[in-house]
Amino acid sequence: MGTADDVLRIRLTNVLHPDIADDVRAELHHWLIDQAKQLRDSRGSARAILGIRCAENDRAGRELLISGGFALARHERDLVLAVPDEPPAPALPPGLVLTPVDERYDELARLAHNEAYADSPTAVRPDRRTWPQHATGHPRFLPDLSCLVLAEADRSDNPVAAFLFALADGSTDTPTAVLHCLGTRAPWRRSGLATAMISQVLHRARSAGVRRLRLKVTDSNHSALALYRKLGFVESGQGFAVLMRQLTPEADEQP
Ligand SMILES: CC(C)(COP(=O)(O)OP(=O)(O)OC[C@H]1O[C@@H](n2cnc3c(N)ncnc32)[C@H](O)[C@@H]1OP(=O)(O)O)[C@@H](O)C(=O)NCCC(=O)NCCS
């Protein structure tokens, strides 16, 4: 939940048994909407936007949401890659070096992150205060599987050309690392930096006994999808759709 431009943003979450009856599901849905309206009113907001995730194979759930005034905002793909026995060697153009994440570069990595994600409408761009919990201070941060690319002779005042921060995935029995955020600043794109960082992670993952890489990507992010497909990532089937609904007092009469 958060507020931006006087609009209260509420994320609805629920976990339903796959065999739940349609009428129970509908009742729960209406109850959640009522709770959201009460929250909006208690906060004194005139407008709220509800967001909800729906598993990509849950057609009935999506239809219920759409009939209740939600509209599809985007799909989040969940991609996985088995760590190969012999990962490709990381290769970088001259003048660039792969280096472990290092606290000396922490603020420069944050600036590089926010610059790389500047055009991404859904990305979080942390400030100095929230950066640690997004990256190196995250409770599941994997320093050995994270890296930076530094430009030796810099083309700007920030030598961090690219970054990759990985997290442990505690949700599966297969030892898995999540590529949590990964980006290349615009002047260095299409030079193989993201490919080199992922190759490096695959090598480290192999040595650390990690068997699989996983990541989430919005389906409108064509460059990232092209990168991951080229490297052999495939859909896990655990992606989801994000649906949104306006919650204004005028729309309260909707089902
Ligand atoms: C996606 C991103 C990380 C790619 O980084 P990069 O260092 O430019 O990637 P690479 O140079 O290793 O690209 C490897 C391959 O990916 C594909 N690719 C990368 N960018 C592409 C683009 N803009 N259009 C089409 N294909 C692209 C190509 O197949 C490319 O190989 P090629 O250059 O030989 O054709 C970069 O564009 C970026 O930082 N984007 C913003 C942040 C972001 O969206 N991160 C991913 C979040 S899930």
Side-chain angles (χ1 to χ4, degrees):
M1 191 178 72
T3 307
D5 302 327
D6 289 333
V7 179
L8 184 65
R9 293 179 177 272
I10 304 172
R11 192 163 111 191
L12 301 179
T13 48
N14 55 36
V15 179
L16 301 178
H17 191 279
D19 298 333
I20 190 168
D22 285 352
D23 56 339
V24 179
R25 185 198 273 257
E27 204 168 312
L28 177 63
H29 172 79
H30 292 310
W31 182 83
L32 276 172
I33 300 282
D34 280 343
Q35 296 297 305
K37 286 175 186 169
Q38 286 178 30
L39 186 61
R40 177 202 64 199
D41 295 344
S42 71
R43 294 291 174 115
S45 302
R47 292 177 58 210
I49 294 178
L50 303 185
I52 192 164
R53 293 176 174 189
C54 185
E56 66 189 17
N57 52 5
D58 181 7
R59 185 171 293 183
R62 197 177 318 171
E63 281 169 10
L64 176 70
L65 289 165
I66 288 171
S67 68
F70 280 83
L72 184 66
R74 63 181 190 277
H75 283 280
E76 292 283 336
R77 306 284 173 204
D78 185 66
L79 305 184
V80 286
L81 176 68
V83 175
D85 290 338
E86 291 179 27
L92 284 173
L96 294 164
V97 286
L98 266 167
T99 175
V101 169
D102 177 330
E103 66 180 22
R104 281 175 303 165
Y105 293 106
D106 205 39
E107 175 58 7
L108 293 167
R110 182 184 75 84
L111 295 171
H113 172 282
N114 289 358
E115 188 182 318
Y117 280 100
D119 296 329
S120 171
T122 56
V124 176
R125 284 186 287 283
D127 57 20
R128 275 172 185 259
R129 188 181 58 81
T130 55
W131 173 247
Q133 69 208 53
H134 186 76
T136 53
H138 192 288
R140 290 184 284 113
F141 176 57
L142 291 175
D144 293 345
L145 298 192
S146 302
C147 56
L148 303 175
V149 175
L150 299 182
E152 287 171 337
D154 189 17
R155 293 183 216 175
S156 71
D157 53 5
N158 185 352
V160 177
F163 54 86
L164 187 160
F165 291 89
L167 305 179
D169 181 356
S171 68
T172 162
D173 290 341
T174 307
T176 300
V178 178
L179 304 189
H180 170 56
C181 56
L182 153 73
T184 300
R185 288 170 59 215
W188 287 277
R189 286 189 185 160
R190 299 302 286 268
S191 309
L193 274 59
T195 304
M197 292 190 295
I198 294 173
S199 303
Q200 162 105 331
V201 170
L202 288 169
H203 273 279
R204 296 264 170 90
R206 185 91 221 138
S207 321
V210 171
R211 292 276 162 266
R212 190 170 59 178
L213 303 187
R214 150 173 259 148
L215 58 89
K216 291 235 166 3
V217 57
T218 305
D219 61 356
S220 58
N221 192 343
H222 302 293
S223 47
L225 275 169
L227 164 72
Y228 301 138
R229 294 211 165 111
K230 184 173 184 185
L231 295 177
F233 282 82
V234 293
E235 302 229 9
S236 71
Q238 293 179 33
F240 53 85
V242 177
L243 296 102
M244 306 278 220
R245 181 190 151 157
Q246 297 272 355
L247 204 64
T248 55
E250 305 84 66
D252 279 1
E253 299 317 311
Q254 287 182 21

